[in-house]
Structures are given as structure tokens and as C-alpha cells.
Amino acid sequence: MQNWMQQFNNSFNNLTEKLEGWVNNIVVAVPNLILAAIVLAIGIFLARYVNKYAQKIITRFSDNRSVNSLISSVFTAVFVLMVIMIVLSILQLDTALQSLLAGAGVAGLAIGLALQDPIVNLFSGVMMSTKSSFHLGDLVESNDFFGTIKSINLRSTVIETLQGQEVIIPNKITYQNPFKNYSTNNRRRIDLSCGVSYGDDLEKVRDLAIKTIERSVTITKGSEVELFFNEFGSSSINFTLRFWVDDYRQKNYLKAQSDAIIAIKKAFDENDIMIPFPIRTLDFGIKGGEKIADTLPREVIAGIINNQK
């Protein structure tokens, strides 16, 4: 019984000493706790302004709201992380913080390898949104798709084709491949290919075609209508007619092209200029160049004559 009481007293004394030590440590740490709480409260209060001003700065370079929100959130998260590190340093928890960061680094490496493609698409979308070479609604051609940019989000670029389909292209592919933008210069060049017969006056053809386009189509101010003869075809001398229009939209582009074709055809008809079509010559017989009547049996020819009678 006496041994049991002695053991109980020893345990009680150890517990009392530990509690006293904890209380002493808490009392000693109270100033640090108060200072850490003040720093944390100030940091949380300033984080709102960091997010607000970060968005104002980013909107000067990008029109994509989702990307702007993401970047501002990243800046805010970095600021909050710095505040947390200061708080842990005040509480003298640097060793625990280093162990935590080491573990997070290994986990982050594994996650980064697993999410390599989504991360690349994310940063490609950020880079695309900060560039001024394309905007929403631009008429573009990317990866063999032709249409207008409907949206640029964090993972992909959405293009609406001229037939009304939506094409979703990963930002990585869009950013790393050639990208044509027809809206940048707000004008487009129309190239028409045509041909005239060998018997026509080529200088007359050139002057008439240029004047017809200048009279029938609204071309870009200050630009010229150009015509170049480029080859001797099988039944025609072919040329290319080039001119600029002040509208990048596909509908108006096609309308100007159609009006030009109608005007040239009408002008050529009125001036007896012929646009030839392919001509084929059929040769009959083994040697070729023989008349069809010479190659058919006489009985067949007689039957054809009797049927005509």
C-alpha cells in the first residue's frame, strides 16, 4: 500500500511539473502569440487589396476575365503564404515549416508530372490572353479550322466555324502551331483566277478588268487593282486579278468576290471577250483523226440513215 501511494505521489508530481512547464511556456509565448495574431489579421486584411490591385494591373494586358481572376488569385495566394511564413517564424516553428515544405515539394513534383498537359494548357491560355494579336470575335484559322474565336478559357480555345459548329482546341496546340488572324488588319485581299481566249487583246482585257472592278466593287482606299497574266493554258491565257476590301468578315468577303465575278463576266460579254471552257477532241479509229462514218460498218450506217427517214 505504501509503495502504491509513493508511486501515485511521484506521478502526480511529474504531472504537476509538466503542467507548470506548459503554463510557463504559454506565458512566455503570449507576446509572440499576440504578435502573430496581429500579423495574421493585418495580412488577411491586406490580401483583399492585393487581389484588387492585381486585377487592375492585369486587366491592362488581358481581356480574359477567367485568366485575370486566376492570376490575381495566384498573387494573393503568394502574399498569404508569405504572411503565414512570417507568423510561423514569430512562433518559432521554422523547423516544422521546413519539414512541411520538403514534403510539399515531393508531392508537388508528383502532381506536376501527373498534370503536365493541363498545366501546359493553363499557361498557354494565360500567354494567349495577355497577347494583343487576337481577341474574342476575331476571324481566325488554327489547326485547319476556320471561324471566329468564341472564348479562350484556362484549358482550351473555342472556335465557332462558319458552318456553326464549335471546335474546342487545347491551348497547348493553339499556342504552339501557326495561327492566322484575318481581323488584325481589318481588310482582306481577293484573288480571282480567270482566263481569256488566245484571240483576245490582252491589254484590252487587263484595262477592262481593272476598270470594271474599280467601278463595281468598293475597294480599299489607296490600294490598286492588280492583274497578272500567269500561264498559257490548254484553251486559254490565264490571269489572276487581285484587289483589297475593307472588311474581314467572311460574308462581305464572299459578296465582294461574287460581285466582282458577275461584273467581269458581264463586261467581257459586252466587249466580245471570251472566257473559254475546256475543249475535247474525240479521235475515232485505230490511228485517230478519222471520220466516224469511216470507222463504222456499212450496215450500221445504213440502219442509221433508214431510221432518220
Side-chain angles (χ1 to χ4, degrees), residues 57-73:
I57 295 174
I58 296 169
T59 50
R60 299 177 182 177
F61 306 95
S62 172
D63 297 330
N64 193 315
R65 293 182 179 179
S66 59
V67 174
N68 296 348
S69 177
L70 172 67
I71 298 177
S72 61
S73 298

Side-chain angles (χ1 to χ4, degrees), residues 146-213:
F146 183 55
T148 57
I149 298 179
K150 190 172 183 181
S151 65
I152 302 175
N153 53 47
L154 301 181
R155 295 183 298 107
S156 59
T157 301
V158 180
I159 294 179
E160 183 177 357
T161 66
L162 301 180
Q163 290 76 30
Q165 297 94 353
E166 285 190 0
V167 181
I168 301 175
I169 307 175
N171 288 332
K172 173 184 175 182
I173 298 177
T174 304
Y175 187 71
Q176 294 179 351
N177 288 284
F179 193 95
K180 295 181 182 179
N181 191 339
Y182 294 88
S183 305
T184 303
N185 298 326
N186 201 31
R187 63 172 186 163
R188 294 179 67 181
R189 194 182 75 182
I190 297 177
D191 294 5
L192 291 181
S193 298
C194 188
V196 294
S197 67
Y198 278 86
D200 289 317
D201 185 347
L202 298 185
E203 293 181 352
K204 177 181 178 182
V205 169
R206 180 187 59 196
D207 296 339
L208 178 62
I210 292 176
K211 291 179 181 179
T212 300
I213 295 299

Side-chain angles (χ1 to χ4, degrees), residues 32-82:
N32 292 337
L33 290 174
I34 295 175
L35 179 60
I38 294 173
V39 172
L40 182 61
I42 294 174
I44 295 175
F45 177 78
L46 293 178
R48 301 178 181 179
Y49 292 93
V50 171
N51 192 354
K52 181 179 178 180
Y53 286 107
Q55 287 187 0
K56 287 185 177 180
I57 295 174
I58 296 169
T59 50
R60 299 177 182 177
F61 306 95
S62 172
D63 297 330
N64 193 315
R65 293 182 179 179
S66 59
V67 174
N68 296 348
S69 177
L70 172 67
I71 298 177
S72 61
S73 298
V74 170
F75 278 111
T76 305
V78 171
F79 176 78
V80 172
L81 180 62
M82 293 175 60

Side-chain angles (χ1 to χ4, degrees), residues 86-105:
I86 295 174
V87 170
L88 293 177
S89 177
I90 294 174
L91 296 176
Q92 298 180 355
L93 297 176
D94 298 357
T95 304
L97 177 62
Q98 292 176 0
S99 302
L100 180 63
L101 291 177

Side-chain angles (χ1 to χ4, degrees), residues 162 190 249-259:
L162 301 180
I190 297 177
R249 289 172 295 183
Q250 186 70 5
K251 178 180 178 180
N252 295 337
Y253 171 85
L254 294 176
K255 183 179 183 303
Q257 180 177 262
S258 177
D259 292 342

Side-chain angles (χ1 to χ4, degrees), residues 13-25:
N13 292 331
N14 292 332
L15 177 61
T16 303
E17 291 177 358
K18 289 184 178 181
L19 291 175
E20 290 178 354
W22 289 349
V23 171
N24 292 332
N25 291 332

